[in-house]
Amino acid sequence: MATFVSVPLKKSSEVDLTRPLSKFVIATYQTSEDQAEYIRAVEELNKLRKNALGRPLDKHESSLEILLRYYDQLCAVEPKFPFSENQLCLTFTWKDAFDKGSLFGGSVKLALASLGYEKTCVLFNAAALASQIASEQNLDNDEGLKAAAKYYQLASGAFGHIKDTVLSALNREPTMDISPETVGTLSIIMLAQAQEVIFLKATSDKMKDAVIAKLANQAADFYGDAFKQCQYKDNLPKEVLPVLAAKHCIMQANAELHQSALAKQKKRFGEEIARLQHAAELVKTVASRYDEYVSVKDLNDKINRALAAAKKDNDFIYHDRVPEIKDLEHIGKAALVKATTITPPLSQKFADLFEKMVPMAVQQSMSIYNQRKAETVNRLVGTMREATNLCNGVLASLNLPAALEDLSGDSIPQSIAEKARSIVQQGGLQSIEQLIRDLPELLTRNREILDESLKMLDSEETTDSELRTKFSQRWNRTPSGELYKPLRAEGANFRNVLDKAVQADQVVKERYNTHCEMITLLCKPESELNAAIPSANPTKTLQGSEVVNVLRSQLAKLDEIKKERETMEGEIKAVTFDMSVSFLTALAQDGTINEEQLSVSQLDQLYGSYNQRVQASLRSQEDLLGQIQTSHQEFSSLKQSNTEANQREEVLKKLALAHDSYVEISSNLWFIFYPLLFLPHYDIVFARKTERDELLKDLQQSIAREPSAPSFSVPAYQSTPATPAAGPTPAPRTVFVSSHSQSQTSSITKADVRLLDTY
């Protein structure tokens, strides 16, 4: 039975994907339908991980399909969630596939908050399982040979892909099993085994000896390359090196055997004997050095029988000269296998759980676009509201329209009555006073949340710095100080917001105190309000006069302008456009998104006409206010001048101003302080603590396993020459086992073990 190398699977710690991903979905997507759909997808992703990594997998295609489906889903989901240490922080812990641990239970593992790390390890497992499935195939039939070749090529492609991407995916030194050197060697080994399977199929199909010889020679070349790569490195278990050396010799021997048959057909009997002698020497070398790993008895017998027959025929019949092997023509090579290209999706049953979710690049562009859109809307709406407030202020200073409604001089003007009812409906004076009373407590609570969040960052960063100082290069994770820079900047922004809030609230309180008396009067019953307004002599002579009619007409036009603004404000707020389509198209076409160019162009199209209408509205108001002031001067000169009338008009002006101030105070009060969104940093700190605990545990176990000494070695991945172990029985199959050296020294002492226990 042929001996083939297969790779053990890596083991992973359990990770809950549901909670952090669901939290991101709820915070990012507004509609309940989107949230429900994506949360279901998150739960399915979590189940998929458990099926792929949370249980032993059979050496069967169905198990490989689960791994590939999970890998495909990771590739699909990566651009759609902000996986990073300072955003969506998920720590994945994986053990070295070739490390079996010590007697004390320690093992080599690495914990990283990196989805790229998770993808790399999952793809490693897919390659490893493919190698195991291939090694289980029955090579005595055609179907088994085809399956083995397919899976070895898949394994080769997966290991090769890891070699090219692992350093950029991790941004730090990986464990030995997924290092570029290790997976690069594994890729060549798997390709060599695929080529060997093709050689076995060609032999089984009784193809021409010339073809079989080239296939065998190519396999020998692949095995030779793999042997050279790991000959002076300890990146693979010690059993692998002798197997590669043996396979190199065996494939060379097979190439010479079939090339000798070709020489016989061409009546080159001396060449036939020379090649068979070389093949016999190669097999003899394998039998003497690597007998415990592979069996060459059948091949040896076949070669010796052919050699004996060839010598006999040549001695008695042909008497052809036997040349030196170095003088013979080189055997050609024929590579009929190649590493499978890793281009997701790899699974035939893959269906993207988050197909409708847009990539993060689009989400980020959408976020910036929404900010630009909000700024545009706020600018237009703010401009109109400013103009309306200015208009109301001017009319209040002129006591309009109350002056026209108060020509009788003894009843509440209709506009004042409406303003009074509006204030009562909004809660009156008690509503504002309650909001003002709540302000200090709300402000204090938000300061406490902010201080507690920053304190958590300080505490974790201090601990990280102490451990980094103590263990130097052994403490190999991103420094907390560097990681928390954007979070501290965010905290400073929140602090600035709170400081500005204090100043703004003081202005609001001062304005409230100025108009408190008049607001109180507007909250009273209509009879009390009427009694509080001074009466005046009737000015009925002005009723029906031309100036009054002109003023009323002008005020009616002004009301139309204000109503048009209210309608326009609703239209502006209701404008919708799905920019995600434009961003997705740009991303697909160019690979990047020029958000500013696309957003500005689209916003100009959406709001350009509204901007023109707003400016036209401002100009119309300015013209009308000029006309109203001119008409009011004429109206005032016609009114009978007396003290009572002046007092009444002054009170009516104050009441109108009080109403406008009430509305503005209510909308501007800082009662909309909700607890700050700084608490999600707890998830990041918690993830960092989990990662720290994992690293501390590994260090403690490593130190505890070392011999007692003032200063001693710490286990590290280093290279030492691998030597084959002795043993009489050849193994039909080879599975990798643990093999790591511990040659790197560090100045960690037993005092460090006690220090580890204090954290």
Side-chain angles (χ1 to χ4, degrees):
M1 184 179 291
T3 302
F4 287 92
V5 172
S6 61
V7 185
L9 272 66
K10 293 172 69 68
K11 293 182 179 178
S12 174
S13 300
E14 185 177 349
V15 177
D16 178 24
L17 303 177
T18 306
R19 180 175 176 271
L21 296 187
S22 297
K23 191 172 183 180
F24 171 81
V25 166
I26 293 172
T28 305
Y29 297 93
Q30 304 301 319
T31 67
S32 57
E33 293 82 3
D34 285 345
Q35 290 180 0
E37 180 180 353
Y38 296 148
I39 288 175
R40 283 195 298 271
V42 166
E43 292 169 349
E44 285 299 315
L45 178 63
N46 198 52
K47 289 179 185 177
L48 185 56
R49 187 182 197 275
K50 288 182 178 179
N51 288 335
L53 309 177
R55 61 186 180 87
L57 296 176
D58 298 329
K59 298 176 185 179
H60 191 270
E61 186 176 5
S62 60
S63 297
L64 179 60
E65 181 67 25
I66 294 173
L67 271 174
L68 293 178
R69 200 159 71 244
Y70 178 53
Y71 176 78
D72 288 338
Q73 189 59 68
L74 290 178
C75 293
V77 84
E78 185 174 26
K80 299 180 180 180
F81 286 88
F83 293 100
S84 66
E85 288 182 306
N86 57 2
Q87 293 187 66
L88 192 51
C89 188
L90 282 168
T91 301
F92 300 99
T93 304
W94 287 81
K95 294 181 180 179
D96 189 309
F98 304 136
D99 185 83
K100 297 299 179 67
S102 70
L103 295 174
F104 301 98
S107 62
V108 178
K109 58 184 175 181
L110 178 64
L112 286 179
S114 163
L115 192 72
Y117 177 48
E118 172 88 342
K119 284 171 54 185
T120 298
C121 295
V122 172
L123 187 58
F124 181 96
N125 272 10
L129 186 57
S131 75
Q132 295 177 18
I133 295 173
S135 70
E136 292 292 315
Q137 299 301 311
N138 181 0
L139 302 183
D140 293 331
N141 62 59
D142 194 62
E143 186 178 341
L145 288 167
K146 289 180 179 178
K150 181 182 79 170
Y151 289 123
Y152 281 135
Q153 289 176 90
L154 172 61
S156 177
F159 286 131
H161 184 79
I162 295 172
K163 175 190 175 184
D164 296 336
T165 59
V166 63
L167 295 181
S168 59
L170 270 62
N171 260 338
R172 56 155 294 163
E173 194 68 23
T175 49
M176 183 59 74
D177 56 345
I178 57 173
S179 67
E181 296 81 7
T182 301
V183 290
T185 303
L186 290 176
S187 179
I188 296 179
I189 292 173
M190 295 299 127
L191 199 60
Q193 295 185 157
Q195 180 75 14
E196 182 182 354
V197 170
I198 296 299
F199 157 77
L200 293 175
K201 176 169 172 47
T203 305
S204 174
D205 293 345
K206 300 187 184 325
M207 296 182 71
K208 293 180 179 180
D209 288 304
V211 174
I212 298 175
K214 291 178 181 179
L215 292 173
N217 198 34
Q218 181 65 70
D221 197 44
F222 283 148
Y223 278 120
D225 288 346
F227 177 81
K228 290 175 185 176
Q229 284 205 15
C230 64
Q231 187 175 8
Y232 302 108
K233 299 175 184 175
D234 190 26
N235 57 344
L236 293 176
K238 61 183 181 180
E239 290 84 355
V240 176
L241 196 63
V243 170
L244 298 178
K247 284 298 191 80
H248 174 64
C249 293
I250 291 170
M251 287 296 102
Q252 276 189 323
N254 275 292
E256 295 292 354
L257 174 62
H258 287 276
Q259 193 71 15
S260 73
L262 182 62
K264 183 178 180 180
Q265 294 169 19
K266 295 180 178 180
K267 301 186 184 302
R268 298 173 184 172
F269 303 110
E271 178 184 342
E272 177 191 9
I273 293 172
R275 291 194 183 279
L276 288 171
Q277 286 176 341
H278 186 213
E281 290 171 1
L282 290 168
V283 171
K284 184 179 179 181
T285 300
V286 174
S288 62
R289 295 183 183 179
Y290 311 117
D291 187 54
E292 65 173 301
Y293 301 102
V294 295
S295 174
V296 289
K297 184 178 182 305
D298 292 343
L299 179 60
N300 186 53
D301 292 344
K302 187 175 182 180
I303 292 172
N304 286 334
R305 285 195 302 270
L307 179 59
K311 281 184 175 181
K312 182 179 178 181
D313 289 346
N314 195 52
D315 289 343
F316 287 97
I317 304 172
Y318 306 115
H319 305 290
D320 196 9
R321 186 182 68 85
V322 178
E324 294 289 330
I325 191 69
K326 62 183 177 60
D327 296 330
L328 296 177
E329 183 181 347
H330 290 295
I331 303 172
K333 299 173 185 175
L336 295 188
V337 295
K338 62 179 181 179
T340 301
T341 302
I342 302 302
T343 306
L346 301 176
S347 167
Q348 296 179 353
K349 300 179 181 178
F350 173 68
D352 188 1
L353 296 172
F354 299 89
E355 183 178 7
K356 295 181 181 179
M357 183 183 286
V358 297
M360 276 306 300
V362 176
Q363 291 185 32
Q364 291 167 355
S365 296
M366 282 296 297
S367 176
I368 300 173
Y369 165 76
N370 287 332
Q371 291 177 9
R372 293 184 191 275
K373 179 183 175 183
E375 289 171 1
T376 302
V377 171
N378 291 338
R379 176 175 55 79
L380 292 173
V381 171
T383 300
M384 290 191 294
R385 289 183 177 179
E386 251 182 63
T388 300
N389 288 337
L390 173 64
C391 175
N392 291 339
V394 171
L395 294 182
S397 67
L398 300 177
N399 192 30
L400 293 174
L404 297 180
E405 298 166 353
D406 193 41
L407 293 178
S408 64
D410 57 3
S411 62
I412 302 175
Q414 182 62 28
S415 60
I416 296 297
E418 290 176 357
K419 293 180 189 298
R421 285 193 292 271
S422 172
I423 288 180
V424 171
Q425 288 172 359
Q426 295 180 57
L429 198 64
Q430 292 181 348
S431 173
I432 288 185
E433 289 178 343
Q434 183 62 47
L435 294 174
I436 292 176
R437 284 195 297 270
D438 290 343
L439 279 175
E441 182 180 350
L442 290 169
L443 191 61
T444 301
R445 175 57 184 149
N446 281 280
R447 286 193 184 278
E448 289 174 352
I449 293 173
L450 178 59
D451 292 340
E452 182 62 26
S453 298
L454 294 174
K455 185 178 178 182
M456 289 167 60
L457 298 183
D458 292 339
S459 176
E460 201 285 323
E461 184 176 339
T462 300
T463 302
D464 181 71
S465 298
E466 291 174 357
L467 292 169
R468 187 174 304 281
T469 301
K470 188 65 183 175
F471 298 112
S472 61
Q473 73 273 12
R474 292 287 294 167
W475 198 250
N476 50 6
R477 70 170 187 165
T478 306
S480 295
E482 180 182 329
L483 182 64
Y484 294 157
K485 282 181 181 178
L487 304 185
R488 293 193 180 281
E490 189 179 351
N493 289 337
F494 279 127
R495 181 86 64 192
N496 188 41
V497 168
L498 293 176
D499 292 341
K500 287 183 178 179
V502 174
Q503 301 171 7
D505 293 339
Q506 188 60 38
V507 173
V508 169
K509 289 177 184 177
E510 290 175 359
R511 186 159 190 178
Y512 165 76
N513 291 332
T514 301
H515 298 280
C516 178
E517 183 180 351
M518 290 295 108
I519 294 173
T520 303
L521 187 57
L522 286 169
C523 293
K524 292 183 177 298
E526 190 171 325
S527 58
E528 294 185 32
L529 175 60
N530 191 27
I533 300 174
S535 59
N537 292 332
T539 55
K540 294 181 181 180
T541 54
L542 291 175
Q543 292 182 4
S545 66
E546 183 180 354
V547 67
V548 170
N549 292 334
V550 169
L551 260 178
R552 282 178 175 159
S553 174
Q554 291 168 341
L555 290 175
K557 291 179 181 178
L558 201 57
D559 282 340
E560 286 297 322
I561 290 176
K562 289 195 283 186
K563 287 178 182 178
E564 183 185 351
R565 284 180 189 155
E566 292 177 1
T567 302
M568 191 159 36
E569 180 176 332
E571 291 176 2
I572 290 173
K573 290 180 177 179
V575 171
T576 58
F577 181 80
D578 188 5
M579 274 299 292
S580 64
V581 176
S582 300
F583 291 144
L584 282 169
T585 302
L587 187 63
Q589 291 177 347
D590 306 327
T592 57
I593 299 174
N594 190 334
E595 180 278 328
E596 183 176 2
Q597 179 182 351
L598 293 172
S599 295
V600 171
S601 174
Q602 186 59 48
L603 290 173
D604 284 345
Q605 291 183 36
L606 295 175
Y607 297 103
S609 61
Y610 287 109
N611 188 62
Q612 295 175 5
R613 288 172 62 186
V614 168
Q615 294 304 316
S617 176
L618 296 183
R619 289 192 295 270
S620 297
Q621 174 178 298
E622 185 177 359
D623 292 341
L624 266 175
L625 284 178
Q627 296 172 17
I628 288 172
Q629 287 174 319
T630 301
S631 299
H632 182 266
Q633 289 177 357
E634 185 180 350
F635 171 74
S636 298
S637 63
L638 294 176
K639 287 178 62 176
Q640 185 178 2
S641 178
N642 60 60
T643 303
E644 290 179 351
N646 291 336
Q647 289 177 346
R648 179 178 177 85
E649 185 164 347
E650 190 65 29
V651 171
L652 292 177
K653 287 180 183 179
K654 289 181 178 180
L655 289 173
L657 283 172
H659 168 267
D660 294 341
S661 297
Y662 179 90
V663 173
E664 189 173 350
I665 291 170
S666 297
S667 63
N668 291 337
L669 261 177
W670 290 83
F671 71 92
I672 54 172
F673 274 136
Y674 294 106
L676 289 172
L677 299 177
F678 211 68
L679 280 183
H681 298 350
Y682 172 81
D683 291 339
I684 297 172
V685 173
F686 179 78
R688 290 285 287 178
K689 287 181 178 178
T690 302
E691 181 185 3
R692 181 194 69 194
D693 293 344
E694 288 280 351
L695 186 53
L696 284 172
K697 183 179 177 182
D698 293 343
L699 281 173
Q700 188 170 14
Q701 291 174 343
S702 298
I703 295 171
R705 293 200 299 269
E706 293 301 315
S708 177
S711 179
F712 48 89
S713 300
V714 175
Y717 291 95
Q718 295 293 329
S719 299
T720 56
T723 55
T729 309
R733 307 234 189 263
T734 299
V735 178
F736 288 172
V737 293
S738 170
S739 176
H740 295 291
S741 66
Q742 300 174 356
S743 59
Q744 187 178 6
T745 352
S746 172
S747 59
I748 299 179
T749 65
K750 281 193 172 180
D752 300 331
V753 179
R754 292 192 295 274
L755 175 64
L756 288 167
D757 289 331
T758 65
Y759 288 101

